[in-house]
Amino acid sequence: MKIISVVGARPNFMKVAPIYRAINNKQKISGLSIEHLICHTGQHYDEKMSRIFFEELELPKPDFYLGIGGGSHTEQTARIMLEFEKVLLAEKPDLVIVVGDVNSTIACSLTAVKLGIKVAHVEAGLRSFDRSMPEEINRILTDSISDFLFVTEPSGLINLKNEGITENKIHFVGHVMIDSLIYFLKKAEKSSVLKELDLVKNNYILVTMHRPSNVDNENGLNDLIRLLKKLSEKHKIVFPVHPRTRKNLEKYNLNLNHNTNLKITEPIGYLDFIWLMNNASLILTDSGGIQEESTYLGIQCITLRKTTERPITVEVGTNHLLGDDFIKAEKRAEEILNGNIKSGKIPDLWDGKSSERIVEILISELT
Ligand code: UD1
């Protein structure tokens, strides 16, 4: 059996790493021969957005690197398709595994199905119901053409059913990203990031912000700068800045001024980042994955978005969905830091074994 797994952007690496490990383990135990190749589209290419993750997540060098880089959505998606088609024609895999909701996910799944190759979508069924988000379009399209849909939370089962997807394609397996979190948290304990950034456990706010709706316009960036300035009067903040946010700050000539309480950094590697999450008193974010990781870790998280495609993090987890109201966010942040916290639970099947479940299902259906 030959499988190609696709990675492209930062949130993909930690999802493919446990699948890679589970396939290797399965081969060792069962004696089955599975050729598992990794294709990196190069959607993300900076050292700190890509290469560092391969090293830290114990992933081998990708078998294929498409070197796509940035561009408009159409350019990026089309270039990935053209290059990925060459890989598929040469390798003729039995299955392509795609994860998450980035442009690489839809580009590679569409290329594969056009060649009659089966596709497994890991993290299927999530819906924000906001079609202005590029990821929502990627999710809907990828799910509608995939053969295996691996779902992380109950809302995904309902969404896929409502969209008329045949039930026998859908599998509730939990979350591979949590597999990585559980597996690497021990290793992250050795991180010296708190010392390097002069931070004390449970005594700082971790901020990430990179959604187009928050950072592609001047008003959104000004709101963010005001919020950080206000919160940093009383609290320590660490803010690793995503390339999209950095480019837009430069474009609008805006400055995020360092002060003793506000630490602005480059994007941070996986182990240091999960250690920063694990020890934060509060996380402020617009990321998808961080809402889930903070729920697993039981860390309070304010999400600055109007919708979430991951409702379990609000329903049972520690996520506070506050829309784009930065004044409300400041107020809520203070309340949380004063001890008014939301207690949370770990969602079902977020137990570190999702990749094993996926591999079992794939093997039983494909052999
Ligand atoms: C992409 C995903 C988003 C995900 C995010 C995580 C899509 C539609 N969006 O958004 O869902 O949450 O990744 O990071 O796929 N850039 C660099 N260096 C890099 C990577 C990007 O400079 O290593 C620049 C690009 O050239 C571009 C900007 O950052 O100008 C945005 O990159 P892009 O891949 O288009 O989308 P993201 O905003 O990163």
Side-chain angles (χ1 to χ4, degrees):
M1 196 194 312
K2 190 189 272 192
I3 300 177
I4 298 185
S5 286
V6 174
V7 290
R10 184 170 61 178
N12 296 158
F13 308 127
M14 50 294 260
K15 293 172 191 163
V16 166
I19 298 174
Y20 176 80
R21 211 170 38 247
I23 291 179
N24 276 351
N25 288 344
K26 184 70 192 174
Q27 290 201 84
K28 274 187 212 138
I29 296 164
S30 68
L32 265 173
S33 163
I34 306 169
E35 192 181 357
H36 184 210
L37 304 171
I38 294 182
C39 178
H40 186 338
T41 65
Q43 176 176 344
H44 284 175
Y45 44 86
D46 282 358
E47 156 85 27
K48 294 197 164 87
M49 293 296 286
S50 173
R51 208 170 66 97
I52 185 170
F53 291 89
F54 272 78
E55 286 160 16
E56 292 191 336
L57 291 161
E58 300 165 11
L59 275 167
K61 199 166 162 274
D63 300 279
F64 309 97
Y65 184 74
L66 307 183
I68 299 304
S72 73
H73 284 258
T74 302
E75 278 172 333
Q76 200 174 52
T77 309
R79 281 209 302 267
I80 296 171
M81 289 185 72
L82 288 170
E83 292 306 311
F84 192 54
E85 186 180 46
K86 292 178 198 160
V87 172
L88 293 182
L89 289 172
E91 295 296 330
K92 301 187 173 48
D94 302 290
L95 178 78
V96 167
I97 301 180
V98 293
V99 297
D101 55 15
V102 301
N103 286 344
S104 301
T105 309
I106 176 59
C108 293
S109 51
L110 185 53
T111 312
V113 294
K114 292 272 184 189
L115 292 172
I117 297 165
K118 286 197 160 54
V119 171
H121 184 205
V122 175
E123 202 188 80
L126 298 179
R127 296 290 179 266
S128 67
F129 303 100
D130 173 1
R131 290 200 178 196
S132 69
M133 285 180 79
E135 294 83 4
E136 183 74 353
I137 306 298
N138 295 342
R139 292 180 200 112
I140 295 169
L141 296 181
T142 305
D143 284 343
S144 70
I145 56 177
S146 293
D147 301 276
F148 298 92
L149 296 133
F150 293 114
V151 175
T152 54
E153 61 163 280
S155 73
L157 299 173
I158 298 165
N159 296 332
L160 294 174
K161 201 163 163 232
N162 288 345
E163 287 171 24
I165 299 203
T166 327
E167 245 171 77
N168 60 14
K169 290 184 181 177
I170 305 171
H171 308 274
F172 178 37
V173 291
H175 205 336
V176 292
M177 193 186 59
I178 303 299
D179 290 5
S180 266
L181 181 59
I182 294 171
Y183 186 83
F184 285 106
L185 206 50
K186 266 242 100 23
K187 222 172 147 185
E189 281 174 17
K190 297 202 182 76
S191 163
S192 54
V193 69
L194 296 188
K195 208 162 144 220
E196 281 159 27
L197 293 171
D198 190 23
L199 298 168
V200 174
K201 189 176 163 58
N202 293 331
N203 203 10
Y204 62 91
I205 306 173
L206 173 63
V207 178
T208 81
M209 209 59 64
H210 74 277
R211 288 275 149 224
S213 58
N214 281 329
V215 304
D216 279 5
N217 63 84
E218 201 174 348
N219 285 346
L221 285 171
N222 272 320
D223 283 348
L224 174 65
I225 292 172
R226 255 195 307 274
L227 175 66
L228 295 182
K229 219 173 141 198
K230 195 90 190 84
L231 288 173
S232 68
E233 284 169 10
K234 283 207 243 157
H235 310 283
K236 286 219 170 192
I237 299 179
V238 54
F239 180 21
V241 181
H242 185 279
R244 173 184 284 278
T245 311
R246 183 174 15 92
K247 282 187 181 173
N248 284 319
L249 285 165
E250 281 162 17
K251 181 174 158 193
Y252 296 114
N253 241 327
L254 297 172
N255 268 329
L256 266 172
N257 291 325
H258 281 268
N259 61 41
T260 38
N261 271 354
L262 178 58
K263 306 208 182 271
I264 310 293
T265 75
E266 291 288 301
I268 287 180
Y270 183 67
L271 296 175
D272 283 345
F273 193 79
I274 60 178
W275 199 237
L276 277 176
M277 282 196 287
N278 190 52
N279 291 294
S281 43
L282 171 66
I283 299 175
L284 263 166
T285 193
D286 61 3
S287 149
I290 293 172
Q291 297 173 55
E292 298 173 322
E293 288 165 327
S294 56
T295 274
Y296 180 82
L297 295 170
I299 301 292
Q300 302 295 305
C301 176
I302 290 181
T303 299
L304 282 159
R305 283 176 44 188
K306 290 190 185 127
T307 56
T308 179
E309 59 287 343
R310 301 157 209 268
I312 194 101
T313 60
V314 177
E315 287 155 18
V316 315
T318 45
N319 190 15
H320 308 245
L321 187 66
L322 291 196
D324 55 3
D325 186 339
F326 283 64
I327 309 268
K328 201 161 138 196
E330 186 204 325
K331 199 166 156 265
R332 182 69 66 88
E334 291 297 351
E335 285 166 9
I336 291 171
L337 293 168
N338 279 326
N340 188 1
I341 60 167
K342 181 174 172 188
S343 58
K345 273 196 333 217
I346 296 175
D348 286 348
L349 298 189
W350 290 18
D351 59 359
K353 298 194 172 89
S354 304
S355 313
E356 289 167 32
R357 290 184 196 105
I358 289 173
V359 171
E360 285 304 325
I361 293 166
L362 290 175
I363 287 174
S364 79
E365 299 214 12
L366 289 171
T367 51

